[in-house]
Amino acid sequence: MGRWKDGGRSLRGFSRATELGWSRLMRWHQRVRLGERLYQRPGPKKKPLENPAVLHQRLRGLRHGPCRSRGLPGVYAEYRQQISRRDLRAISREVRLEINRENLAAMVRIEWIVSRLIWAIDDLRVKRFGVQWNQVQDLGSRYKFRPGIGVGSRGAMKGYAVAERLGQLFDEHGAPLVLKRDNGSNLNHEAVNEKLDDYGVIALNSPVHYPQYNGSVEAGLREVRACLKERGARQTEWTWALGEDVVQDLNQRRRPCLEGRTASQVFELGKPLSEEYDNNKRKEVRNEIAALAEKIMSGFKESGLRAERMARS
């Protein structure tokens, strides 16, 4: 009993080598000698599940969130004689993932295929560095412009600084047709709105508490954060120094979504089309959007700025 027949190792030595408890090892050893199953599920034995398809359909009828399914305890109360709580949770997780995949596939997805026309702006707070990173990105090409950085207690770039930064980018690269932004106070500052009006840029705000609406720039900020981590930026002054270097590196990476081209290459391809949008054409687009938004608002029960933003979104 104390030694393996093949290798000659003692059970004590095997227990220490594998870090298996002695009592558990003895229990498994006894089951092997008696010809029983090595591992047995704890808890009372369950009856065979009569109709798995009915349970599957029952689970699909629950309210599923990203990580939880409401009503699962009630389903367990009905099937507790046929399935364990652990197995029910596992099946529920598969059903939840299946439904979430179906919902994602059914969603309307917008793909920006022309560069220079649609930009997005957002702030990223890098807590460990004490840095506020303001990033502007072209959505059609994933091209990232040089960052605007605020440090320490000053927080994110103020509205006047954001407006000045946008004006510099518009003068250097040409103004886009649309600028997507969230509802941050610095991004919706009066100075920013005046700058957008001066260049004929249409502001498109994300719905309240729905950052996924501006998901492209959110993904771009995650790239920036990952690139800073790769370069070992552990201090504020390093982050300042690496700012332009980081975005330049990201702009030169070949991307499958761009058919193997870089963001810089695709960004340059959109220049001829963007130059066609003079002030007259921008006014035409603005008027079309305003008319369409008014038509959509006519079907809303509420009115005001919130309804207007919902319609424009």
Side-chain angles (χ1 to χ4, degrees):
M1 177 179 175
R3 292 185 177 278
W4 295 106
K5 294 182 179 179
D6 295 335
R9 296 180 59 184
S10 67
L11 288 176
R12 289 288 184 183
F14 182 78
S15 176
R16 287 192 295 268
T18 59
E19 298 184 355
L20 283 173
W22 179 252
S23 59
R24 176 181 296 182
L25 187 59
M26 287 294 95
R27 183 166 61 252
W28 288 358
H29 183 71
Q30 182 67 14
R31 288 175 182 171
V32 170
R33 292 182 59 188
L34 298 177
E36 298 177 352
R37 295 178 58 184
L38 184 64
Y39 176 74
Q40 300 177 12
R41 297 291 296 274
K45 301 298 182 290
K46 302 295 182 180
K47 298 178 182 178
L49 190 60
E50 296 178 358
N51 196 335
V54 174
L55 174 61
H56 187 273
Q57 194 63 31
R58 179 79 168 81
L59 292 174
R60 286 188 63 91
L62 301 179
R63 292 179 58 187
H64 298 281
C67 302
R68 296 184 179 181
S69 301
R70 293 188 177 183
L72 194 60
V75 177
Y76 175 70
E78 297 178 19
Y79 287 87
R80 62 185 309 165
Q81 300 299 326
Q82 303 177 49
I83 191 170
S84 67
R85 195 189 303 269
R86 180 184 301 175
D87 289 343
L88 182 63
R89 286 175 177 170
I91 298 175
S92 174
R93 180 177 181 276
E94 293 299 323
V95 171
R96 182 170 61 250
L97 292 176
E98 175 186 327
I99 291 177
N100 289 340
R101 284 193 294 266
E102 292 174 358
N103 293 339
L104 184 62
M107 291 177 61
V108 176
R109 300 178 65 86
I110 298 177
E111 181 180 1
W112 307 107
I113 58 176
V114 178
S115 61
R116 289 181 176 262
L117 292 184
I118 314 294
W119 291 8
I121 185 172
D122 200 3
D123 291 322
L124 171 67
R125 183 180 181 185
V126 189
K127 294 182 180 179
R128 58 182 296 191
F129 307 145
V131 170
Q132 298 280 358
W133 189 296
N134 178 265
Q135 186 64 58
V136 180
Q137 176 174 315
D138 175 69
L139 298 186
S141 63
R142 278 74 169 176
Y143 184 87
K144 297 170 180 57
F145 301 98
R146 62 179 180 273
I149 301 179
V151 178
S153 59
R154 290 184 295 172
M157 294 182 66
K158 304 302 181 184
Y160 290 106
V162 173
E164 182 180 358
R165 167 171 155 75
L166 287 175
Q168 294 173 352
L169 293 178
F170 294 164
D171 290 337
E172 183 177 353
H173 302 282
L177 179 63
V178 175
L179 178 70
K180 296 185 68 177
R181 61 184 179 180
D182 62 20
N183 298 285
S185 58
N186 64 326
L187 305 183
N188 290 265
H189 194 273
E190 181 180 357
V192 175
N193 294 333
E194 291 178 356
K195 185 67 65 174
L196 297 181
D197 289 338
D198 291 343
Y199 285 84
V201 179
I202 302 170
L204 182 58
N205 281 59
S206 302
V208 179
H209 305 306
Y210 194 72
Q212 299 93 321
Y213 188 81
N214 208 6
S216 296
V217 72
E218 296 280 350
L221 291 176
R222 287 195 295 270
E223 285 186 331
V224 169
R225 188 192 295 272
C227 197
L228 284 172
K229 187 176 181 180
E230 291 174 4
R231 293 169 179 266
R234 295 190 179 92
Q235 297 181 12
T236 299
E237 56 269 23
W238 295 357
T239 308
W240 272 85
L242 289 173
E244 291 197 34
D245 191 34
V246 164
V247 296
Q248 184 177 2
D249 178 38
L250 293 173
N251 288 336
Q252 298 302 322
R253 292 184 181 180
R254 297 189 178 275
R255 299 173 180 269
C257 60
L258 301 178
E259 299 179 350
R261 296 172 296 183
T262 67
S264 297
Q265 292 172 336
V266 177
F267 182 71
E268 289 302 319
L269 293 177
K271 188 173 183 179
L273 180 60
S274 65
E275 293 176 347
E276 297 180 8
Y277 283 84
D278 54 14
N279 291 335
N280 292 331
K281 196 166 186 178
R282 289 174 183 268
K283 289 180 180 179
E284 291 179 9
V285 175
R286 187 187 295 271
N287 293 335
E288 290 179 7
I289 293 177
L292 181 60
E294 184 177 355
K295 182 178 179 180
I296 295 174
M297 285 181 60
S298 63
F300 289 172
K301 294 182 180 180
E302 58 180 307
S303 58
L305 180 60
R306 183 171 181 270
E308 181 181 353
R309 287 184 173 178
M310 289 175 59
R312 291 172 64 88
S313 300

